[in-house]
Amino acid sequence: MEEKARVLFITSCGFNSITGGGITFRNLFKGWPKNRIATIHSDNLPQDESICQYYFKISNNEKKNFFHKLNSKIKEDSINPKISKNRINLFSQIIKIIKNFIRGDSIPQKFLFSKELKNFLYDFKPTVIYSILGSNFIMSAVDQIQEELNVPLIIHIMDDWPSTLYKKGIFAIFERQKMKYLLNKIISKSNTCLSICDFMSKAYHKRYGREFIQFQNLIDINNVQINNHKSSKNN
């Protein structure tokens, strides 16, 4: 029997049982041999080891961002006994206001290969990469890891986030241009492009010049018990 592909899943949201994305991924990959799928993620929620047993959580070793030193300085000051609590709180509030004004919905981040990540990749030896993409950081990770491993890439677009992402903050104009560059690069070199419906496939084909295959996880409603009881309390 032909062996299943060794899938490397690169995502900000992993196989959790809480968020919509996490549950969707659990349904999509349920039944795949759990020793033949590995996940690189930045999800803070507990991961489902019945779906996947190889996880690598992204840390500061793989991520460099503009505010890292500033955040470290705040943490250092917060444990410095020579600085009063009021001063710490005031300083933190001022920094928070400045950061929110500057960053908006975009923080410039750079993906870095760490020794631990490379060991994880070459120990697992993936034969294909699957990703729903997302932020510039995740797309940079997908792009560079694919080039490092030189394996086929499958992308799955589940929302029209390229139309809404990176529009606030002083870095937004640069981050949005970077997003467009990375997205076009990744789509052009992907072996397979997936969407969630025919309408999206047509729109993305027109936008990016690639064929998108529509595929989405579905629920068999005959196997779902639906409680139509209406309560006076809306919880």
Side-chain angles (χ1 to χ4, degrees), residues 3-4 9 30 38 43 60 64 81 97 104 110 114 133 143 175 179-180 190 222 235:
E3 288 189 334
K4 296 282 188 181
F9 183 24
K30 189 175 182 180
D43 196 348
N60 287 332
K64 181 179 181 181
I97 292 169
K110 182 179 180 181
S114 65
L133 305 180
D143 179 38
E175 289 293 284
M179 179 197 73
K180 291 178 180 179
S190 294
N222 291 323
N235 187 345

Side-chain angles (χ1 to χ4, degrees), residues 31 37 81 102 115 145 158 206:
I37 180 169
I102 294 174
K115 180 180 178 181
I145 290 173
M158 296 191 180
K206 183 178 180 180

Side-chain angles (χ1 to χ4, degrees), residues 220-233:
D220 182 357
I221 60 173
N222 291 323
N223 291 328
V224 177
Q225 292 183 352
I226 300 175
N227 185 354
N228 289 319
H229 174 69
K230 292 183 179 180
S231 173
S232 58
K233 289 185 177 181

Side-chain angles (χ1 to χ4, degrees), residues 49-235:
E49 294 191 357
S50 70
I51 303 293
C52 170
Q53 64 183 26
Y54 302 124
Y55 287 98
F56 185 94
K57 186 174 181 182
I58 294 168
S59 69
N60 287 332
N61 293 329
E62 294 79 38
K63 178 166 55 177
K64 181 179 181 181
N65 68 66
F66 182 80
F67 297 106
H68 178 66
K69 289 184 178 180
L70 188 59
N71 289 334
S72 298
K73 175 62 177 172
I74 293 172
K75 289 179 181 178
E76 288 173 8
D77 287 345
S78 66
I79 59 174
N80 188 339
K82 295 180 180 180
I83 301 177
S84 69
K85 268 191 175 180
N86 289 337
R87 184 180 170 188
I88 293 171
N89 291 334
L90 178 61
F91 179 69
S92 297
Q93 287 299 318
I94 292 172
I95 293 300
K96 185 177 180 180
I97 292 169
I98 294 172
K99 283 171 62 176
N100 288 337
F101 172 75
I102 294 174
R103 65 193 273 185
D105 60 1
S106 58
I107 305 174
Q109 295 177 325
K110 182 179 180 181
F111 170 74
L112 304 169
F113 267 114
S114 65
K115 180 180 178 181
E116 293 79 11
L117 177 56
K118 283 200 173 184
N119 288 340
F120 178 82
L121 292 171
Y122 285 103
D123 285 344
F124 179 68
K125 299 181 178 65
T127 57
V128 64
I129 295 172
Y130 168 90
S131 179
I132 64 164
L133 305 180
S135 69
N136 285 346
F137 174 79
I138 290 294
M139 287 199 289
S140 295
V142 171
D143 179 38
Q144 293 183 48
I145 290 173
Q146 190 278 329
E147 291 184 354
E148 173 75 19
L149 299 175
N150 192 28
V151 297
L153 173 62
I154 297 171
I155 62 169
H156 198 170
I157 307 295
M158 296 191 180
D159 272 314
D160 192 19
W161 46 266
S163 295
T164 60
L165 202 59
Y166 299 122
K167 290 194 172 182
K168 296 177 182 178
I170 64 173
F171 296 108
I173 187 171
F174 306 105
E175 289 293 284
R176 189 156 181 81
Q177 288 304 312
K178 183 179 180 180
M179 179 197 73
K180 291 178 180 179
Y181 166 76
L182 285 170
L183 192 54
N184 278 283
K185 180 182 180 182
I186 290 171
I187 289 174
S188 66
K189 72 175 180 177
S190 294
N191 296 74
T192 302
C193 300
L194 303 174
S195 74
I196 60 171
C197 64
D198 288 332
F199 185 80
M200 178 180 276
S201 292
K202 292 174 183 177
Y204 272 58
H205 171 66
K206 183 178 180 180
R207 189 185 300 178
Y208 298 107
R210 282 291 307 271
E211 293 294 333
F212 279 77
I213 302 169
Q214 70 90 8
F215 175 79
Q216 177 60 305
N217 184 57
L218 302 176
I219 297 173
D220 182 357
I221 60 173
N222 291 323
N223 291 328
V224 177
Q225 292 183 352
I226 300 175
N227 185 354
N228 289 319
H229 174 69
K230 292 183 179 180
S231 173
S232 58
K233 289 185 177 181
N234 184 9
N235 187 345

